[in-house]
Each structure stands twice: as C-alpha cells, then as structure tokens.
Coordinates of all heavy atoms in Angstrom, one line a residue:
R9 N 23.4 -4.2 -7.5 CA 24.8 -4.5 -7.6 C 25.7 -3.3 -7.5 O 25.3 -2.2 -8.0 CB 25.0 -5.2 -8.9 CG 24.4 -6.6 -9.0 CD 24.7 -7.3 -10.3 NE 24.1 -6.6 -11.4 CZ 24.2 -6.9 -12.7 NH1 24.9 -8.0 -13.0 NH2 23.6 -6.2 -13.7
N10 N 26.8 -3.5 -7.0 CA 27.9 -2.5 -6.9 C 27.4 -1.1 -6.3 O 27.5 -0.1 -6.9 CB 28.4 -2.2 -8.4 CG 29.8 -1.5 -8.3 OD1 30.5 -1.6 -7.3 ND2 30.1 -0.8 -9.4
L11 N 26.9 -1.3 -5.1 CA 26.5 -0.1 -4.3 C 27.6 0.3 -3.3 O 28.3 -0.6 -2.8 CB 25.2 -0.4 -3.6 CG 23.9 -0.5 -4.4 CD1 22.8 -0.8 -3.4 CD2 23.7 0.7 -5.3
M12 N 27.7 1.5 -2.9 CA 28.4 1.9 -1.8 C 27.4 2.7 -0.9 O 26.8 3.7 -1.4 CB 29.6 2.8 -2.0 CG 30.4 3.1 -0.8 SD 31.8 4.3 -1.0 CE 30.9 5.8 -1.0
V13 N 27.2 2.3 0.3 CA 26.2 2.9 1.2 C 26.9 3.5 2.4 O 27.6 2.7 3.1 CB 25.1 1.9 1.6 CG1 24.2 2.5 2.7 CG2 24.3 1.4 0.4
V14 N 26.8 4.7 2.7 CA 27.2 5.4 3.9 C 26.0 5.6 4.8 O 25.0 6.1 4.4 CB 27.9 6.7 3.6 CG1 28.4 7.3 4.9 CG2 29.0 6.6 2.6
T15 N 26.1 5.1 6.1 CA 24.9 5.2 6.9 C 25.3 5.4 8.4 O 26.3 5.0 8.8 CB 24.0 3.9 6.8 OG1 22.8 4.0 7.6 CG2 24.8 2.7 7.3
N16 N 24.4 6.1 9.1 CA 24.5 6.3 10.6 C 23.5 5.5 11.2 O 23.0 5.8 12.4 CB 24.4 7.8 10.9 CG 23.1 8.4 10.6 OD1 22.5 8.1 9.6 ND2 22.6 9.3 11.4
N17 N 23.1 4.4 10.6 CA 22.0 3.5 11.1 C 22.5 2.1 11.1 O 22.7 1.4 10.1 CB 20.8 3.6 10.2 CG 19.6 2.9 10.6 OD1 19.7 1.9 11.4 ND2 18.4 3.2 10.2
I18 N 22.8 1.6 12.3 CA 23.3 0.2 12.5 C 22.4 -0.8 11.9 O 22.8 -1.8 11.3 CB 23.6 0.0 14.0 CG1 24.9 0.7 14.4 CG2 23.8 -1.5 14.2 CD1 25.2 0.5 15.9
N19 N 21.1 -0.6 12.0 CA 20.1 -1.5 11.4 C 20.2 -1.6 9.9 O 20.1 -2.7 9.4 CB 18.7 -1.1 11.9 CG 18.5 -1.1 13.4 OD1 18.9 -2.0 14.1 ND2 17.9 0.0 13.9
V20 N 20.4 -0.5 9.3 CA 20.7 -0.5 7.8 C 21.9 -1.3 7.5 O 21.9 -2.1 6.5 CB 20.8 1.0 7.3 CG1 21.4 1.0 5.9 CG2 19.4 1.6 7.2
A21 N 23.0 -1.1 8.2 CA 24.2 -1.8 7.9 C 24.0 -3.3 8.1 O 24.4 -4.1 7.3 CB 25.3 -1.3 8.9
N22 N 23.3 -3.7 9.1 CA 23.0 -5.1 9.4 C 22.2 -5.7 8.3 O 22.3 -6.9 7.9 CB 22.4 -5.3 10.7 CG 23.3 -5.2 11.9 OD1 24.5 -5.4 11.7 ND2 22.8 -4.8 13.0
I23 N 21.2 -5.0 7.7 CA 20.4 -5.5 6.6 C 21.2 -5.6 5.4 O 21.2 -6.7 4.7 CB 19.2 -4.5 6.4 CG1 18.3 -4.5 7.5 CG2 18.5 -4.8 5.0 CD1 17.2 -3.3 7.5
L24 N 22.1 -4.7 5.1 CA 22.8 -4.7 3.8 C 24.0 -5.6 3.8 O 24.5 -5.9 2.8 CB 23.3 -3.3 3.5 CG 22.2 -2.3 3.0 CD1 22.7 -0.9 2.9 CD2 21.5 -2.8 1.7
V25 N 24.4 -6.1 5.0 CA 25.4 -7.2 5.1 C 25.1 -8.3 4.2 O 25.9 -9.0 3.6 CB 25.6 -7.6 6.5 CG1 26.3 -8.9 6.6 CG2 26.4 -6.5 7.3
A26 N 23.8 -8.6 4.0 CA 23.3 -9.7 3.2 C 23.5 -9.5 1.7 O 23.4 -10.4 0.9 CB 21.8 -10.0 3.5
N27 N 23.9 -8.3 1.3 CA 24.2 -8.0 -0.1 C 25.7 -8.0 -0.3 O 26.4 -7.0 0.1 CB 23.6 -6.7 -0.5 CG 23.8 -6.4 -2.0 OD1 24.6 -7.0 -2.7 ND2 23.2 -5.3 -2.5
P28 N 26.3 -9.1 -0.9 CA 27.7 -9.1 -1.0 C 28.3 -8.1 -2.0 O 29.5 -7.8 -2.0 CB 28.0 -10.5 -1.5 CG 26.7 -10.9 -2.2 CD 25.6 -10.2 -1.4
D29 N 27.4 -7.5 -2.8 CA 27.8 -6.5 -3.8 C 27.6 -5.1 -3.3 O 27.6 -4.1 -4.1 CB 27.0 -6.7 -5.1 CG 27.9 -6.8 -6.3 OD1 29.1 -6.8 -6.1 OD2 27.3 -6.8 -7.4
C30 N 27.6 -4.9 -2.0 CA 27.4 -3.6 -1.4 C 28.5 -3.3 -0.4 O 28.7 -4.0 0.6 CB 26.0 -3.5 -0.7 SG 25.7 -1.9 0.1
Q31 N 29.2 -2.2 -0.7 CA 30.2 -1.7 0.3 C 29.5 -0.8 1.3 O 28.8 0.1 1.0 CB 31.3 -0.9 -0.4 CG 32.4 -0.4 0.5 CD 33.4 0.4 -0.2 OE1 33.3 0.6 -1.4 NE2 34.4 1.0 0.5
I32 N 29.7 -1.1 2.6 CA 29.0 -0.4 3.7 C 30.1 0.5 4.4 O 31.1 0.0 4.9 CB 28.3 -1.4 4.6 CG1 27.4 -2.3 3.8 CG2 27.6 -0.6 5.7 CD1 26.9 -3.5 4.6

C-alpha cells in the first residue's frame, strides 16, 4: 500500500498498474 515507484521499465509500469495504491 501507498507506494511510489519510479521506473525506466515499461513492463514494470504495466505490472504495477494492477495495484491501485501505487503511484507510477
């Protein structure tokens, strides 16, 4: 819960979209 993730990996972003409590 309540994560902020900075990534240069589009696959990571697509995975974490499923977590509504994660700012990407």
Side-chain angles (χ1 to χ4, degrees):
R9 292 180 298 178
N10 196 25
L11 292 180
M12 186 185 79
V13 173
V14 183
T15 184
N16 62 324
N17 184 338
I18 284 178
N19 300 312
V20 162
N22 285 333
I23 291 166
L24 289 172
V25 162
N27 182 349
D29 230 4
C30 178
Q31 180 183 1
I32 304 165

